[in-house]
Amino acid sequence: MKINYKQVGDVQLPDLQMEKITLTEMYMKARMKYLEEDKPDLYFKLLTQNQMNNHLKEIQQEAEELEELLMNQMLESEKNLIPDKATAQMEWVGYMNNLKNRV
């Protein structure tokens, strides 16, 4: 991969441009922020190797799979606590929202 440089004052800096990506997914946003703030070396490496998008998509997919697994496990373990959806819709919605927040 060829890296282009741009002159800034007396110094040449790498001209890094990330592929356009819309960070609409929660876990992608969180991972990007984490890399920028806490792992700048990995952040720079992913950018320079043009792997940031793939990395963020993998993180998003793994997080969604784990979220689904945890939801199913918690639903199973708390099945006697779940309000009846047919007779208590608002309680059921509240319970499910609370469950998702806990996951």
Side-chain angles (χ1 to χ4, degrees), residues 14-65:
D15 187 15
L16 302 175
Q17 294 183 7
M18 191 171 103
E19 294 176 26
K20 294 216 184 245
I21 185 170
T22 55
L23 295 178
T24 58
E25 303 295 337
M26 174 176 63
Y27 300 110
M28 291 171 77
K29 287 179 184 178
R31 180 65 174 180
M32 181 76 132
K33 183 178 179 187
Y34 169 75
L35 290 173
E36 284 179 302
E37 294 175 0
D38 298 329
K39 300 287 185 184
D41 293 341
L42 179 57
Y43 177 80
F44 182 74
K45 178 183 174 188
L46 290 169
L47 278 178
T48 56
Q49 294 178 355
N50 203 25
Q51 293 295 314
M52 184 65 79
N53 288 346
N54 292 337
H55 176 74
L56 294 175
K57 288 175 186 174
E58 286 174 17
I59 294 295
Q60 181 68 32
Q61 183 177 359
E62 289 174 19
E64 287 173 356
E65 289 170 3

Side-chain angles (χ1 to χ4, degrees), residues 5-14:
Y5 293 86
K6 61 183 174 184
Q7 189 75 31
V8 178
D10 295 338
V11 187
Q12 284 196 349
L13 298 174

